[in-house]
Amino acid sequence: MPKSSLLDEVLEHVSKAQPGPASWFDRLPADAQAELLDVRAGFDPAKHQKRAFYKAIKAAGERRGWQIPGEKQVTQWLSGGR
């Protein structure tokens, strides 16, 4: 019996895996996502501090009833992450 390749084993495992939970950003309504994308486009790390942006996003988002996560997640997102 031929051994399966490492790739075959990995692909078999991945095909059975369930997708992970949506990110905090993906769970927001479409209008909130659009507004936050505008905010991210306006963020310039040469001019703005990530922490200050995070605090402002958190406060404004919560006033709008959005679930905004912790600083690390939001600042990673500001830098282009998910």
Side-chain angles (χ1 to χ4, degrees), residues 28-77:
L28 291 171
D31 60 331
Q33 290 180 13
E35 287 190 75
L36 284 169
L37 288 173
D38 285 343
V39 168
R40 183 165 72 175
F43 173 71
D44 182 350
K47 295 179 184 177
H48 308 115
Q49 293 182 349
K50 284 183 183 179
R51 188 162 203 225
F53 248 66
Y54 160 71
K55 287 180 176 183
I57 289 169
K58 178 114 173 131
E62 288 180 349
R63 283 192 298 274
R64 289 166 170 78
W66 304 342
Q67 293 289 330
I68 304 295
E71 182 177 349
K72 182 177 179 180
Q73 289 174 285
V74 175
T75 56
Q76 284 176 341
W77 174 82

